[in-house]
Amino acid sequence: GIAFNSGSQVKALEGDRGRITASMVEKAINPDDIHKARTRVVSIENTTNRGGGACYDFNELKKIKSVCSNHGLAFHLDGARLWNALMARQETAKDYGNLFDTISVCLSKGLGAPVGSLLLGSKEHIREARRVRKKFGGGMRQAGFLAAAGLYALQNHIDRLAEDHHHAKITADALRHKSWVPDLMEPETNILIFTVDGAFTAPELCDEFAKHDIRCMAISPTQIRMVFHLDVTPAMVEKLLNVIYHLPG
């Protein structure tokens, strides 16, 4: 999609639960060679999705920023779950704003607005982004209603993200006692990814949970992804823990 729509190439790096380092970025920069695409931007994701909601260490982000500055590269943050990272690490949005050239954030997901993503950047970045959006056919009329919902989410739903993080942790604690869960990614925020083996495949366990009106996703034949958000109440989590407890094994 990136190549087809934007004429760009991507060099993906395999990091630790989706987190890359400054040294990895340094090594990945293409040389000044007419046979290779020019390296222009470094993009990171915080929190990481398939990394089970893992958070970056801010000092490592500053090191990556230094590499970008030394090589004239833009630094972009996919911050769809940035609010979760800020809550988990007790960091500030201002620190991130000072570090990155552009940031995308999501007002749905953990914050619970019905829809809505925002791009943050300088006036020049936003002017160019609006032009590119129009070129792709993007745009929305009467968006004020959604903006109001987004403002409400920002004003009321950030502090409560800690509850989602707690729900992920206690669910992980329950799953650890099951013989058919040989491994799980320690949840730092609201995403829990774990491996199943033996009594269930991942789809089979999802079907078992569905019998109790519990929805989760098999992201591979052996891995399940659970996400906790404001619509998942403490009572629902108690029910989930009870179901896990009574499953054989």
Side-chain angles (χ1 to χ4, degrees), residues 30-48:
N30 280 343
D32 185 12
D33 184 332
I34 61 172
H35 302 92
K36 298 181 182 296
R38 292 191 180 104
T39 302
R40 295 291 199 188
V41 61
V42 174
S43 177
I44 67 104
E45 181 188 41
N46 197 23
T47 66
T48 62

Side-chain angles (χ1 to χ4, degrees), residues 3-236:
F4 182 84
N5 292 312
S6 301
S8 301
Q9 293 182 351
V10 172
K11 183 178 290 186
L13 304 178
E14 185 174 349
D16 172 29
R17 292 181 60 177
R19 297 166 297 191
I20 59 176
T21 65
S23 61
M24 294 171 67
V25 172
E26 185 81 51
K27 294 174 183 176
I29 296 172
N30 280 343
D32 185 12
D33 184 332
I34 61 172
H35 302 92
K36 298 181 182 296
R38 292 191 180 104
T39 302
R40 295 291 199 188
V41 61
V42 174
S43 177
I44 67 104
E45 181 188 41
N46 197 23
T47 66
T48 62
N49 184 356
R50 290 301 180 93
C55 303
Y56 267 87
D57 179 87
F58 195 76
N59 288 326
E60 190 63 41
L61 293 179
K62 290 193 289 187
K63 293 177 184 178
I64 297 175
K65 174 65 174 182
S66 180
V67 173
C68 291
S69 298
N70 292 339
H71 292 275
L73 309 178
F75 196 19
H76 174 71
L77 171 64
D78 174 355
R81 291 166 299 278
L82 177 58
W83 319 111
N84 294 90
L86 296 180
M87 177 61 61
R89 292 295 182 102
Q90 294 299 296
E91 295 164 342
T92 69
K94 186 176 181 180
D95 288 338
Y96 277 80
N98 289 333
L99 194 66
F100 288 90
D101 296 294
T102 53
I103 301 175
S104 61
V105 295
C106 188
L107 301 177
S108 56
K109 298 184 179 178
L111 290 191
V115 296
S117 292
L118 303 175
L119 178 66
L120 316 178
S122 67
K123 288 183 178 180
E124 179 58 27
H125 279 130
I126 300 306
R127 185 196 68 79
E128 180 64 13
R130 289 173 65 88
R131 186 193 71 81
V132 172
R133 182 183 68 177
K134 180 60 67 174
K135 183 171 71 172
F136 279 119
M140 182 177 289
R141 304 294 180 265
Q142 292 81 42
F145 294 102
L146 294 175
L151 285 172
Y152 183 89
L154 288 171
Q155 293 163 358
N156 295 277
H157 290 169
I158 292 180
D159 289 342
R160 64 147 309 279
L161 291 173
E163 181 177 285
D164 300 334
H165 301 174
H166 172 66
H167 288 162
K169 285 179 171 61
I170 61 176
T171 303
D173 290 340
L175 287 167
R176 281 193 188 92
H177 298 298
K178 292 299 179 179
S179 61
W180 35 264
V181 180
D183 186 43
L184 60 79
M185 296 183 186
E186 184 64 36
E188 189 173 2
T189 52
N190 67 320
I191 299 176
L192 173 59
I193 295 178
F194 60 95
T195 301
V196 297
D197 186 28
F200 300 97
T201 65
E204 287 170 349
L205 185 55
C206 287
D207 289 342
E208 187 65 31
F209 281 133
K211 295 176 183 177
H212 303 275
D213 297 322
I214 298 168
R215 296 180 181 178
C216 54
M217 178 186 295
I219 58 175
S220 80
T222 60
Q223 280 192 316
I224 288 178
R225 176 177 179 264
M226 290 182 170
V227 180
F228 299 86
H229 49 83
L230 62 81
D231 292 320
V232 179
T233 66
M236 292 177 180

